[in-house]
Amino acid sequence: MSRAIDHIVLCVNDLDAAIAVYTQLGFTVTPRAVHPFGTGNALIQLDGMYIELLAVIDPDKIAETDLAQPFSFPIYNRDYLRHREGMSMLALQSRDAEQDRQKFIAAGAAVPPVFHFERDAKTPDGETVGVAFSLAYANHPLLRHAVTFVCQHRHPVQNFYFPDYQSHQNGAVAISKVLVDHWAAEAVHDFYEEIGVDAIVDVLHGDELISRYGVEDSAFPTDGFAGFELIVDDIAKITDAAVAMGAVEKDGMLIIPPSRFFGVMMVIKAK
């Protein structure tokens, strides 16, 4: 079964700084939201998928008792930030997280119980609406810093996606690929193939990543998500802002190195 991207989680130390930079790059960013377990986020909504900028907002709400659980979303992302900024998680679309959990188990993944939570969200008109999610994780021992999970939206679509939030000055449309840099690329690729995400994730050795994109950067991980490919409707709309942030041009692409962009490489391609 081939799966589709729901969103990517980009861990940052300073949420306000990340919002400012993404806004400067021409993205429309949603208002900040707060999770009930210590983290907070702001979103960049695209065509049926989104980018989640995530930070630890209130560390006192991250319960250390969660350490007894098989997996804790806030503890994982808090500890990820102690290690580095960057892309910590890949979320896949799901209509039934419980059913997807069973499929992950059948594929040999280490799968904790489904995690359910709710939070408030703001509409473009300033109205508060409720949103709810169910998450099922597919963990792998080689991917301690690159967790994949499914995200079931348990709310009306009109409570989450809004045309005003999906319209971006830079012409951003969608995420086409997620890029992984890993010393055991072949084994990781086999795992992704088993859980049905090999069509949306490219797993590369470090030298292959450098050869493809022409960027050599000490901020690349050696065992996790290196970045993602962003599709825009007209690359000219984003060129000036991207170059100002240190983007390099290669084969018609604009590539912002991870050391200039909160630990994640953004590869910008025309539609």
Side-chain angles (χ1 to χ4, degrees), residues 102-144:
Q102 296 304 315
K103 292 177 181 177
F104 288 155
I105 291 171
V111 185
V114 173
F115 176 55
H116 309 279
F117 76 97
E118 301 176 359
R119 67 168 175 83
D120 290 335
K122 290 285 188 183
T123 71
D125 296 330
E127 180 185 354
T128 299
V129 294
V131 292
F133 307 88
S134 293
L135 314 180
Y137 302 95
N139 297 334
H140 189 282
L142 288 174
L143 294 166
R144 294 181 301 113

Side-chain angles (χ1 to χ4, degrees), residues 48-138:
M49 61 184 68
Y50 61 99
I51 297 168
E52 178 179 12
L53 305 176
L54 183 85
V56 174
I57 302 299
D58 189 348
D60 291 339
K61 287 186 177 179
I62 300 178
E64 293 301 333
T65 53
D66 286 352
L67 288 170
Q69 302 299 319
F71 184 82
S72 164
F73 177 94
I75 286 179
Y76 167 76
N77 284 290
R78 180 200 64 186
D79 292 350
Y80 183 94
L81 280 170
R82 289 174 175 174
H83 173 61
R84 65 189 300 266
E85 288 187 296
M87 180 176 165
S88 64
M89 310 180 91
L90 165 63
L92 310 169
Q93 294 179 13
S94 173
R95 293 185 177 180
D96 188 330
E98 294 285 356
Q99 187 177 82
D100 285 327
R101 178 177 182 270
Q102 296 304 315
K103 292 177 181 177
F104 288 155
I105 291 171
V111 185
V114 173
F115 176 55
H116 309 279
F117 76 97
E118 301 176 359
R119 67 168 175 83
D120 290 335
K122 290 285 188 183
T123 71
D125 296 330
E127 180 185 354
T128 299
V129 294
V131 292
F133 307 88
S134 293
L135 314 180
Y137 302 95

Side-chain angles (χ1 to χ4, degrees), residues 9 16 27 30 40 50 67 90 98 100 106 121 146 168 175 192 204 217-218 228 233 269-270:
V9 180
D16 288 334
F27 289 102
T30 68
Y50 61 99
L67 288 170
L90 165 63
E98 294 285 356
D100 285 327
H168 305 279
I175 301 162
Y192 283 138
L204 305 168
D217 196 308
S218 60
F228 62 96
D233 59 18
K269 292 184 169 183

Side-chain angles (χ1 to χ4, degrees), residues 185-203:
E186 292 80 8
V188 172
H189 176 270
D190 289 346
F191 169 69
Y192 283 138
E193 188 173 43
E194 195 69 22
I195 65 171
V197 300
D198 52 306
I200 56 174
V201 179
D202 280 353
V203 188

